[in-house]
Amino acid sequence: MKFASLRDGRDGRLVIVTDDLARMTPPDRIEVTLQQVLEDWDALMPGLKRIKAALESGEARSEPFDPAACAAPLPRAFHWADGSVYLNHMELVRKARGAEMPESLYSDPLMYQGGSDILLGARDDIVVGDEDWGIDLEAEVAVITDDVQQGVSVEAAATHIRLVLLVNDVSLRNLIPGELSKGFGFYQSKPPTAFSPVAVTPDALGAAWDGHKLKGAMIAEVNGERLGDPDAGDDMYFDFPQLIAHAARTRPLGAGTIIGSGTVSNRDRARGSACLAEIRTIETIETGKPSTPFLKFGDRVRIDMRDAAGRSIFGAIDQQVVKAPPVA
Amino acid sequence: MKFASLRDGRDGRLVIVTDDLARMTPPDRIEVTLQQVLEDWDALMPGLKRIKAALESGEARSEPFDPAACAAPLPRAFHWADGSVYLNHMELVRKARGAEMPESLYSDPLMYQGGSDILLGARDDIVVGDEDWGIDLEAEVAVITDDVQQGVSVEAAATHIRLVLLVNDVSLRNLIPGELSKGFGFYQSKPPTAFSPVAVTPDALGAAWDGHKLKGAMIAEVNGERLGDPDAGDDMYFDFPQLIAHAARTRPLGAGTIIGSGTVSNRDRARGSACLAEIRTIETIETGKPSTPFLKFGDRVRIDMRDAAGRSIFGAIDQQVVKAPPVA
C-alpha cells in the first residue's frame, strides 16, 4: 500500500496511490487522514486494502497522481526523532577535525528530536533566511510507527513499523557548532524537514525491506549532478527496531511517530555521499580544505530510490532553495 | 478565560473553567478541541467568551471542576520546545563542577525540543523504569502560541501568546551526562512532561502577566515539603517573546506550539529551588557533596502558583512517581 496526502488544510487529504505511482484514488474517496489511519490501523486497513485492490484493478474511479500536489504524508506529526546510524558519516566528520569517536556511539544510538509541527512536502521550497547559514540536504530513510509501549523490546518494536518513506533532513551547517557548543543539541540548525510524496507499507517493499532496514540506492542530486547513491541497507549500524526501542526506553511513543536513520553513508567511497557536509569533510581530509559549497538560493535538491525495474518507489523529493520573504 | 481538557481519547474534551476553578462547562458543551481553538482563535473565541460569561454568571449549566479528571490542556501537541532562561540555575550547576558559563548563553537562549506526542495531565503518574535514573521535577512556566511566521520579531512574537500554564518538566538526571556527551542533547533523559490542569489566557492573569513574563511564586513541593517558591518573574534572563522569536528564527511555528521557560530559579537563596538538582548543586558547593536524594517510587510532586488571595491560578500539578509495569 502506498499513501500520499494531497495539500489540503493542516493535515492533508489522504489518497492511495498505485504501486507504479501513476494513479490515485479521487481526493474525496477517503475520509480519514493518515494520522487517523495510524491511530486505528487494524480497524481501518481492511477497508483501505479493498479500495487499493479496486484501484489497481481499474474497477474503481481513479485520477492521475501528481507528486507536485503532495504535502508530506504526515503534514504535521506529534513526534519526529532522527537517529544517526551510518557511523561512517560520523567517523569521517570526526576524522576531519582530528577527534576520537566516543565508544558509547557503538553501543547507544545517537538521536535528536526534530520539529514536527511543520513538515514539508516533496516539492515544497526550502525557505531559508540567510545563505550563509550553510544550507545542506541529508538524504535519509524513516519509518512511521503506531502506538509503542514504553520500554518496548527491539523484537516487539519491529512489529510497530507501519510505513517507510524518504526524508530530506535539511540542515543549517554553520549554525550547528554554536548550538552544539551550548550543549542542548540542534534546534535552529534543523529547520523544517521534507518527506517523499508517498509512504509505503513494509509488505509493499518486497525484498527491499527485511523487517529491520531498507535496501536500495539512495540517489542524492544537486542541480542534476549526482552527489552519491549509497545503499541504505549497507553500513547501517543500528536498525529501525533498535532505534524505536531506544526512543521508547523512557516513554511511550504515540501513533504517527516518525523515526529517521540519519544521513545514509557507505564506507565504499565509490558510492559518494548523501549530503554536502560529508563531501566537504572528505575534501578536507584529502586536500586540507573543503571545495564543494553548501546550497545557494535557486539550487535544486533531488532525492530518490528506485526498484529493480528503475521505477521510483516513494516518488522523488525535489526541492528548490529559496530566500525567506521579508517578515510582515 | 481558563481552559482544561478532560481525559477523553487522544485530544481530550475541552471545557471552560470558572476563574475560581470551582465549576466548568458540561463536557458536551464545547465541540472543538483546544488544538482546534488555537488553530482558529479569532473565529472561535467570541463564541467561547459568551459561554464563559454565562458560566460565570450562573445562567448556563455547569458542573463541579475536578482537576483529577484532567488531561494536559493539550494532551498531545505538534511542538514542545523548552528554554532555560533562569541563568542562576545554570550558573550554579556550572559552578558546582568548576566550569565557566559560555558567553553565548547571555546573548542567545538555550532551547531543546521535547517529546510532545504524550503530554501528562496534572494528576497523571510519573512512570519511570528505574529509580537509579535520577528522577527529578522541574517547575516551569510555559506559553502556547497560535501560528507564528518564520523570522518573527520579538515585538510581534508577543502577540502570538494565547495561553499560559505551568509545567513539570520531568528529568532523568543520571541519563543526562551520557546523552549530552554524545552532543545531540536530551532525548531519553526527558520523559513525558506534565502540565497544570488549566491553561489561562493572558488577559485573565491580570497584573501577574506583563505581556512578556509571569510574576508569581512557583511553589514546588515533594511529599508536602517545600523545596522553594522562587518568583517566575524574577531573574528571567530571556522572556517569552524572546524565546518565541528564537524558536521561529529558521522555521514557522504551528498553532499549538508550547514554549517553556526552563526551571524557575532566583538568585535569592531564601526562595529555595524548583528542582532537586539545584538543591543538590548548592549542597555540593557548600559541603562538597549532595545530600538530598532524587525522587523515589511513591514520592509525590506538587507544583502550584497562587493569586494575591491565595487561590490557585492554574490548579496544582500533583503527581506520584511510580515504577513502569513490566513490558507485555
Side-chain angles (χ1 to χ4, degrees):
Chain A
M1 183 85 88
K2 298 192 176 188
F3 288 111
S5 293
L6 305 184
R7 276 196 210 94
D8 181 32
R10 294 179 186 265
D11 293 296
R13 182 160 285 273
L14 184 61
V15 295
I16 295 172
V17 183
T18 53
D19 289 339
D20 63 3
L21 303 184
R23 302 193 67 79
M24 65 178 187
T25 52
D28 61 356
R29 181 69 185 89
I30 302 173
E31 288 184 351
V32 292
T33 63
L34 185 56
Q35 175 65 39
Q36 290 169 320
V37 173
L38 289 155
E39 291 170 12
D40 207 7
W41 188 266
D42 291 339
L44 293 172
M45 280 302 283
L48 295 170
K49 282 180 182 167
R50 285 192 293 274
I51 294 173
K52 168 67 158 53
L55 178 71
E56 291 285 358
S57 70
E59 289 164 61
R61 282 187 304 137
S62 71
E63 294 188 9
F65 175 65
D66 177 8
C70 288
L74 287 175
R76 54 181 179 170
F78 295 99
H79 195 158
W80 154 230
D82 198 11
S84 184
V85 303
Y86 296 91
L87 295 191
N88 180 55
H89 174 76
M90 270 190 292
E91 287 165 359
L92 283 172
V93 170
R94 286 177 191 253
K95 187 172 173 190
R97 61 171 204 250
E100 294 280 307
M101 279 283 277
E103 269 307 307
S104 66
L105 293 187
Y106 296 99
S107 57
D108 195 34
L110 262 176
M111 184 171 278
Y112 81 92
Q113 185 134 337
S116 57
D117 49 338
I118 310 283
L119 301 176
L120 301 182
R123 305 296 161 91
D124 286 346
D125 289 339
I126 297 167
V127 180
V128 179
D130 191 334
E131 239 173 24
D132 292 339
W133 290 344
I135 309 160
D136 200 357
L137 66 151
E138 288 194 350
E140 310 187 356
V141 181
V143 300
I144 308 180
T145 75
D146 56 11
D147 290 301
V148 178
Q149 191 182 9
Q150 180 172 338
V152 72
S153 68
V154 171
E155 192 179 12
T159 67
H160 292 286
I161 297 172
R162 294 307 189 187
L163 295 166
V164 182
L165 72 175
L166 305 187
V167 178
N168 180 13
D169 180 34
V170 179
S171 299
L172 302 173
R173 299 291 182 191
N174 296 339
L175 300 186
I176 289 178
E179 285 204 309
L180 296 197
S181 75
K182 291 193 294 174
F184 273 27
F186 309 109
Y187 189 88
Q188 293 180 336
S189 50
K190 294 287 187 176
T193 307
F195 292 85
S196 53
V198 305
V200 181
T201 53
D203 63 286
L205 291 166
W209 179 256
D210 70 359
H212 300 82
K213 54 189 172 183
L214 182 69
K215 181 91 187 145
M218 179 71 85
I219 304 164
E221 296 173 337
V222 172
N223 298 329
E225 266 190 60
R226 178 80 52 107
L227 303 185
D229 58 0
D231 195 300
D234 293 343
D235 306 319
M236 191 184 195
Y237 197 83
F238 300 101
D239 62 25
F240 284 108
Q242 288 173 309
L243 287 175
I244 293 167
H246 178 85
R249 184 177 174 222
T250 62
R251 68 181 83 184
L253 310 180
T257 290
I258 308 172
I259 302 279
S261 66
T263 313
V264 176
S265 177
N266 288 170
R267 294 192 190 283
D268 177 2
R269 292 258 175 107
R271 300 304 292 263
S273 296
C275 71
L276 293 167
E278 188 175 296
I279 293 173
R280 290 165 57 89
T281 295
I282 293 169
E283 290 166 349
T284 301
I285 293 169
E286 290 178 349
T287 74
K289 64 179 174 54
S291 50
T292 300
F294 288 122
L295 297 169
K296 303 288 182 199
F297 296 139
D299 283 352
R300 288 204 80 88
V301 169
R302 198 167 200 283
I303 295 169
D304 200 7
M305 185 180 284
R306 310 231 169 99
D307 65 16
R311 290 174 308 194
S312 181
I313 301 171
F314 302 93
I317 295 172
D318 188 350
Q319 302 183 272
Q320 187 163 33
V321 182
V322 306
K323 184 166 172 51
V327 180
Chain B
M1 182 85 87
K2 299 192 177 187
F3 289 112
S5 294
L6 304 185
R7 278 197 208 92
D8 181 32
R10 293 178 185 266
D11 293 296
R13 183 160 284 273
L14 184 62
V15 295
I16 295 172
V17 183
T18 53
D19 289 338
D20 63 3
L21 304 184
R23 301 193 67 80
M24 66 178 187
T25 52
D28 60 356
R29 181 68 185 87
I30 301 173
E31 289 184 350
V32 292
T33 64
L34 186 56
Q35 175 64 38
Q36 290 169 321
V37 173
L38 289 155
E39 291 171 12
D40 206 8
W41 187 267
D42 290 339
L44 293 173
M45 279 303 281
L48 295 169
K49 282 180 182 168
R50 283 192 295 274
I51 294 172
K52 168 68 158 54
L55 177 71
E56 292 284 359
S57 70
E59 289 164 64
R61 282 187 305 138
S62 70
E63 296 187 9
F65 174 65
D66 177 10
C70 288
L74 288 175
R76 54 181 181 172
F78 295 100
H79 195 158
W80 154 231
D82 198 11
S84 183
V85 303
Y86 296 90
L87 296 190
N88 181 57
H89 174 76
M90 270 190 293
E91 287 164 0
L92 283 172
V93 170
R94 287 178 191 253
K95 188 174 173 190
R97 62 170 203 250
E100 295 280 307
M101 279 282 278
E103 269 306 308
S104 66
L105 293 187
Y106 296 99
S107 56
D108 196 34
L110 262 177
M111 184 170 278
Y112 81 91
Q113 186 132 340
S116 57
D117 50 338
I118 310 282
L119 302 177
L120 301 183
R123 305 295 161 92
D124 286 347
D125 288 339
I126 298 168
V127 180
V128 179
D130 191 333
E131 239 173 22
D132 292 340
W133 290 345
I135 310 160
D136 200 357
L137 67 151
E138 289 194 349
E140 310 187 354
V141 181
V143 299
I144 307 180
T145 75
D146 56 10
D147 290 302
V148 178
Q149 191 182 7
Q150 181 172 338
V152 71
S153 68
V154 171
E155 193 179 12
T159 68
H160 293 285
I161 297 172
R162 295 306 190 187
L163 295 166
V164 182
L165 70 177
L166 305 187
V167 178
N168 180 13
D169 180 35
V170 180
S171 298
L172 302 173
R173 299 292 180 191
N174 296 339
L175 300 186
I176 289 179
E179 287 205 305
L180 296 197
S181 75
K182 292 193 295 175
F184 273 27
F186 309 109
Y187 190 87
Q188 292 179 335
S189 50
K190 292 288 188 178
T193 307
F195 293 85
S196 53
V198 306
V200 181
T201 53
D203 63 286
L205 292 166
W209 180 255
D210 69 0
H212 300 81
K213 56 189 171 185
L214 182 68
K215 182 90 186 143
M218 180 72 86
I219 303 163
E221 296 173 337
V222 171
N223 299 330
E225 266 190 60
R226 178 81 52 107
L227 304 185
D229 58 359
D231 195 301
D234 292 343
D235 305 320
M236 191 184 195
Y237 198 82
F238 300 101
D239 62 25
F240 284 108
Q242 288 173 309
L243 287 175
I244 294 166
H246 178 86
R249 184 177 175 220
T250 63
R251 70 181 82 184
L253 309 181
T257 291
I258 309 171
I259 302 279
S261 67
T263 313
V264 176
S265 177
N266 287 172
R267 294 192 190 283
D268 178 1
R269 292 256 176 107
R271 300 305 291 263
S273 296
C275 69
L276 294 167
E278 189 175 296
I279 292 173
R280 289 166 57 89
T281 295
I282 293 169
E283 289 166 349
T284 301
I285 292 168
E286 290 178 349
T287 73
K289 64 181 175 52
S291 50
T292 300
F294 288 122
L295 297 169
K296 303 289 181 198
F297 297 138
D299 283 351
R300 289 204 79 88
V301 169
R302 198 167 201 281
I303 295 170
D304 198 7
M305 185 180 284
R306 309 227 171 103
D307 65 16
R311 291 174 308 194
S312 180
I313 301 171
F314 303 93
I317 295 172
D318 188 349
Q319 303 182 271
Q320 187 163 32
V321 182
V322 306
K323 183 165 173 55
V327 180

